């Protein structure tokens, strides 16, 4: 059954989701869109002279 209390709970949950999504989007910087991968020549496992001497 759809009661007034269930509608109120649903509205409160929707408001929480909307406010949290809006606050997350508000704090996005340009550096968040930069690639997060390490370049292959900068990765420690693929260096020509690894620190271990091998």
């Amino acid at each position: 059954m759809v009661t007034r209390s269930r509608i109120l709970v649903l509205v409160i949950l929707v408001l929480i989701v909307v406010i949290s999504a809006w606050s997350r989007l508000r704090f996005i910087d340009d550096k968040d869109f930069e690639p997060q991968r390490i370049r292959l020549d900068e990765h420690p496992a693929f260096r020509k002279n690894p620190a271990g001497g091998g």
Side-chain angles (χ1 to χ4, degrees):
M1 253 190 215
V2 179
T3 61
R4 180 178 284 187
S5 62
R6 288 187 182 187
I7 292 174
L8 183 61
V9 169
L10 183 64
V11 167
I12 290 171
L13 289 175
V14 167
L15 281 175
I16 290 171
V17 169
V18 167
I19 290 171
S20 64
W22 173 75
S23 65
R24 171 68 182 129
L25 288 175
R26 207 174 53 159
F27 292 112
I28 292 179
D29 294 330
D30 288 336
K31 67 180 181 178
D32 291 335
F33 293 108
E34 292 178 0
Q36 299 295 319
R37 294 183 176 179
I38 299 175
R39 291 181 37 170
L40 192 59
D41 58 345
E42 295 175 355
H43 195 278
F46 293 104
R47 289 186 184 161
K48 293 182 180 177
N49 290 327

